[in-house]
Amino acid sequence: MDEIHALPAEFAHTASLAKGLGFGGVQIHAAHGFLLSQFLSPLFNKRQDAYGGSLQNRMRLLLEVINEVRKAVGPEFPVGIKLNASDQLDGGFAEDEALEVVAAVDQVAIDLIDISGGTYFPGAASSSDRAGSGPYFLEFAGRAREKTKIPLMVTGGFKTRAQAENAIVEGKADIIGLARALVVDPELPSFWLSGQRDESQFPRFKNPPEGGVTAWYTMQITQIANGGATLSPDDLVGAIEAYESRDETRRRIWNTKHS
Ligand SMILES: Cc1cc2nc3c(=O)[nH]c(=O)nc-3n(C[C@H](O)[C@H](O)[C@H](O)COP(=O)(O)O)c2cc1C
């Protein structure tokens, strides 16, 4: 319990560091199976104290973190949260509960709610691994819109300007989040603005293993950073190997420094 009580101040300290270093805002991550989303999820959170059980208890830590971060950075500094519409796991955090969290967050000083979903938990779908033809959390965003006036960002599956525009025009989102589209096409927003091109082509992978798609995109970011050649979808196996060996090296460095 002491560790839980220490967490809001730790998030607040990190947010203050980011502000001090000149970042324009911070986002509190309460999605994708990371700590705060595990607290929200009845599948992971089996506590029987004030931080587990009812949804009100499961969202207690998130609300404490938000309040502490806000106190640390002041009223003017932008603070967003990233929230799962659903864990997409049987017995996990689901949409009706996520809507109640949106309603609760509406009552605190948050500037942006970024809607996402899925988890990195083995056996589950992660948002960055998912194939499909279009945006996937829009219906939930429409429901969330009825619960809050806080600006909503929706991330997941956007590839075309028309998809992004429709989400805005239909009032489901105020901001569109792009991840993979920007990895394969870093200039895409400029093309959208100039009308030069509307669509981004995502690579197609044959039977990628779990986590493989995200690994490929991660290594493609590295290629961009190093000015290397664009990876082909056929490089999937090599990309996964490079990703895993890079992680292994990082793990070793971390363990050496912190064990
Ligand atoms: C290479 C890669 C790295 C990512 N890293 C993060 C991350 O650090 N934090 C996060 O919240 N989401 C991360 N994501 C997930 C994206 O933010 C986004 O939710 C997901 O990819 C779905 O959006 P998309 O369809 O536009 O890719 C990552 C995605 C990719 C492809």
Side-chain angles (χ1 to χ4, degrees), residues 29 32 82 116 120 127-128 136 155-157 178-180 214 217-218:
H29 209 319
H32 298 178
K82 188 159 184 165
S116 190
Y120 291 121
S127 187
S128 47
Y136 25 80
T155 305
L178 301 175
R180 287 168 296 177
T214 306
Y217 278 94
T218 304

Side-chain angles (χ1 to χ4, degrees), residues 196-218:
Q196 226 173 317
R197 186 153 53 79
D198 276 359
E199 186 157 357
S200 173
Q201 295 294 338
F202 283 24
R204 288 186 174 275
F205 301 101
K206 290 183 211 110
N207 303 318
E210 199 176 289
V213 173
T214 306
W216 185 93
Y217 278 94
T218 304

Side-chain angles (χ1 to χ4, degrees), residues 129-200:
D129 243 29
R130 203 159 137 171
S133 55
Y136 25 80
F137 299 117
L138 269 181
E139 199 209 321
F140 174 82
R143 295 175 71 198
R145 182 73 294 163
E146 291 165 18
K147 299 280 181 190
T148 182
K149 293 268 182 290
I150 296 172
L152 290 180
M153 171 160 151
V154 182
T155 305
F158 285 93
K159 293 177 189 171
T160 71
R161 175 177 161 155
Q163 289 166 344
E165 268 182 358
N166 286 344
I168 304 277
V169 169
E170 288 168 8
K172 292 175 176 164
D174 303 291
I175 299 178
I176 304 301
L178 301 175
R180 287 168 296 177
L182 289 183
V183 179
V184 291
D185 225 343
E187 303 294 329
L188 190 64
S190 310
F191 291 141
W192 282 0
L193 275 177
S194 65
Q196 226 173 317
R197 186 153 53 79
D198 276 359
E199 186 157 357
S200 173

